[in-house]
Amino acid sequence: MRKTKWFDFRSFFYNPSSTSSMKPRPIAAYSFVPFSPFAMLDPTILTLGGIVLGIAIIERILERWGAIDLVDQFAKVMRFILPVTFYSALIYFFAIFIF
């Protein structure tokens, strides 16, 4: 019959090991996170935002001039274009600026 060896819990867990399993590396690690509020100043995103803003301003001007038919046509087109543009810009932003 084999003899059972007993370990004291405190000496087993709190006794530091004489040899370390990991060797220290002399290389300094830098964390580079490219996300900042200035990342939204990307020319592609600014161009898309400017185009959408320009169309909205043109729509307001046409509404003041009384060209309601043209405003309705713009509204029908923009109802499709605005969500597509927004989600495309969002996908582009997350694809280019990887976190």
Side-chain angles (χ1 to χ4, degrees), residues 17 19-23:
S17 177
T19 60
S20 175
S21 61
M22 295 183 65
K23 296 179 182 178

Side-chain angles (χ1 to χ4, degrees), residues 18-34:
S18 61
T19 60
S20 175
S21 61
M22 295 183 65
K23 296 179 182 178
R25 295 183 180 186
I27 301 171
Y30 297 101
S31 174
F32 177 71
V33 179

Side-chain angles (χ1 to χ4, degrees), residues 58-92:
I58 290 171
E59 188 177 351
R60 285 293 205 171
I61 290 171
L62 288 173
E63 185 180 1
R64 285 190 183 193
W65 287 352
I68 302 300
D69 294 335
L70 285 174
V71 172
D72 287 339
Q73 293 298 322
F74 267 110
K76 287 178 185 176
V77 171
M78 292 306 289
R79 194 172 295 142
F80 173 74
I81 289 178
L82 282 177
V84 169
T85 305
F86 172 75
Y87 288 118
S88 299
L90 193 66
I91 290 170
Y92 172 80

